[in-house]
Amino acid sequence: MAISEYDAFGPWIYEVDGEHPLPRLFAPYVRERVDALMLLKIPRDIERRRATPDMELYDYVVGAYEERVVLLKRHEAAVQRTEVLYREIEGLALYRYFLQGNLMLYTAKGEVCIPFNTVSMSIMQRFVSIIRARYQTARHITSAVLCVGDPKDIPDLDVLFINLLRDMEGEGETARVGAFQPEAPLASAGRDWLQKIVHPLSLRTMPSMLHMVNHEELILIRRGKEEKRAKKNEFSYEFTYIPLGNIHAIRVQEEEQYEDILRCTLDFGRHQYTFLMRGDNQGVVGFYDRLAKQLHLQEKADGKPG
C-alpha cells in the first residue's frame, strides 16, 4: 500500500516502488520506469516540521538504466530532464560532510551534481555501484604490481581509512591499496624573518589520502577537500573514482608555494584532479610513476610535455 508523500517525508532517499510511488510532479516525466535498475526520489532539504501536505517535497528523481543515468530536477513547478550515457561519464565522486552529501558525475559535457542527506549514504553507494559496473574503460592493468601488502602494515594509517577499508571489503570491493599520504604540515617556501614569526599562527596541513586501484579504476579517498589550518578538525571525506581509460596524463611537479611538497595532477577526460604529497613519500611518488608506465604515460609522469 502506498504511503503519502507527506507522511513519508523526511531526510531519507526512497527507492521508488509500490510503497513509495513517484512524486506527483515527476510522474509525467518518467518514461521508462519498468526498465530502471534503480529509481530514487531525493527529498527537499527542509525540516520535517516545515513541510505541508500541499508542498512539492522532492527535488530530484534519479534513475539508473542499462545504458544511461537519468536525472530529473525540480525547478519550482517545472522539471528539468538530463540524460547521461555511461560512456560519457569520465569519473565520479561521492562526498560526505556530517549530514551533507554530494554525488558528482564528471561527464564529457560538464559536471552533474546530486546533493543528498547522508542518512541515505548506503543507498547512494548502491547507486554508485551500478554506475561503476557500467561505465567504460579502454585500459586494464595488472593492479598487483602497484599495490602494497596488508594495509594494516601501513604506518600512520588513520582510523577513518581502516574503517572505510573494512566496509569496502565487506561490500566486495576488489580495489587494493597502492599508497598512503598521511596528513602533513605545509611549510611556506622562501619565508623571510617576519613570515617565520607569523608562520606558526597560520600553519596549514595537507589532508591524508589513500590511493587505491583495481584492474579498471583509480580510487582516491581524501580526508577533507583541501589544505586546512593545522588545528582545524576535519570531518569530511570524499571518494573519487576514475576509470583508467580516461586518464591521459599524470603530471608530478614541485609545488612552489610549499617546501618539499609535490603537486600531482591527473588529467582525465576534460577534467582534472589535483592533490599534494610529500616529496620524500616514495610510496605515493613511486605508485604514480608505476601507474603512468602501466598506462604508457611515462613521458608525462615528471611533468614534462609528452
Side-chain angles (χ1 to χ4, degrees):
M1 181 178 177
I3 303 174
S4 73
E5 287 184 21
Y6 177 72
D7 290 338
F9 180 76
W12 312 279
I13 295 174
Y14 289 113
E15 191 164 359
V16 174
D17 55 20
E19 187 176 6
H20 298 287
L22 280 166
R24 57 200 172 206
L25 178 66
F26 291 89
Y29 297 88
V30 179
R31 308 164 190 163
E32 321 90 342
R33 178 176 173 181
V34 295
D35 297 325
L37 303 172
M38 194 174 194
L39 191 61
L40 307 177
K41 56 181 185 179
I42 303 176
R44 294 176 61 172
D45 184 18
I46 60 172
E47 297 178 6
R48 175 69 176 85
R49 63 189 177 88
R50 297 185 181 277
T52 61
D54 61 333
M55 293 177 64
E56 300 295 346
L57 296 176
Y58 290 86
D59 275 346
Y60 297 88
V61 168
V62 185
Y65 298 84
E66 197 58 53
E67 297 182 351
R68 67 196 183 282
V69 172
V70 176
L71 172 67
L72 301 176
K73 180 178 181 180
R74 184 182 68 86
H75 292 279
E76 299 297 336
V79 173
Q80 175 188 348
R81 179 185 174 99
T82 301
E83 292 192 16
V84 181
L85 298 174
Y86 292 124
R87 65 171 181 267
E88 296 176 333
I89 297 177
E90 298 172 339
L92 61 88
L94 192 59
Y95 172 76
R96 177 173 191 164
Y97 177 69
F98 289 113
L99 293 176
Q100 175 189 347
N102 270 295
L103 171 60
M104 182 75 73
L105 303 181
Y106 298 104
T107 79
K109 298 176 182 177
E111 299 175 354
V112 177
C113 180
I114 305 172
F116 64 94
N117 189 300
T118 57
V119 297
S120 296
M121 178 61 84
S122 61
I123 198 168
M124 290 305 292
Q125 289 172 327
R126 287 200 290 125
F127 191 79
V128 165
S129 295
I130 292 175
I131 298 174
R132 290 177 60 204
R134 286 163 177 78
Y135 62 21
Q136 300 177 8
T137 180
R139 293 192 182 102
H140 296 76
I141 64 169
T142 304
S143 59
V145 302
L146 298 171
C147 299
V148 299
D150 192 335
K152 297 178 182 177
D153 297 330
I154 299 175
D156 303 318
L157 188 62
D158 299 14
V159 173
L160 169 69
F161 294 112
I162 294 174
N163 292 336
L164 290 175
L165 286 172
R166 183 187 63 239
D167 293 343
M168 293 169 70
E169 182 179 3
E171 294 164 0
E173 177 60 63
T174 60
R176 299 174 61 185
V177 175
F180 176 63
Q181 172 60 64
E183 182 179 290
L186 296 169
S188 297
R191 301 193 306 272
D192 58 25
W193 67 271
L194 180 59
Q195 289 174 318
K196 290 181 179 180
I197 295 174
V198 176
H199 177 65
L201 302 177
S202 59
L203 183 66
R204 303 185 73 81
T205 63
M206 64 174 160
S208 52
M209 189 168 172
L210 196 63
H211 305 258
M212 304 182 68
V213 69
N214 58 34
H215 298 305
E216 299 180 343
E217 290 173 298
L218 178 65
I219 303 176
L220 306 165
I221 311 175
R222 178 160 56 186
R223 185 169 192 168
K225 294 180 71 70
E226 56 188 12
E227 303 93 271
K228 65 180 181 68
R229 293 194 182 279
K231 293 185 178 181
K232 179 182 177 183
N233 291 325
E234 184 53 72
F235 301 103
S236 69
Y237 63 86
E238 180 180 53
F239 280 75
T240 299
Y241 304 87
I242 306 175
L244 296 175
N246 292 335
I247 300 174
H248 54 82
I250 299 175
R251 294 176 283 119
V252 179
Q253 300 169 306
E254 291 187 3
E255 172 55 48
E256 297 180 357
Q257 185 178 355
Y258 303 114
E259 294 179 353
D260 303 321
I261 297 296
L262 301 176
R263 180 173 294 275
C264 183
T265 301
L266 308 174
D267 295 328
F268 62 102
R270 59 174 288 175
H271 305 277
Q272 288 186 336
Y273 186 96
T274 301
F275 59 89
L276 301 179
M277 57 188 176
R278 286 191 56 85
D280 59 1
N281 188 334
Q282 292 304 309
V284 183
V285 174
F287 172 78
Y288 282 98
D289 181 62
R290 296 191 300 274
L291 178 61
K293 290 176 180 177
Q294 284 239 0
L295 298 178
H296 306 291
L297 303 174
Q298 61 266 38
E299 71 277 9
K300 295 187 180 181
D302 59 1
K304 298 177 182 179

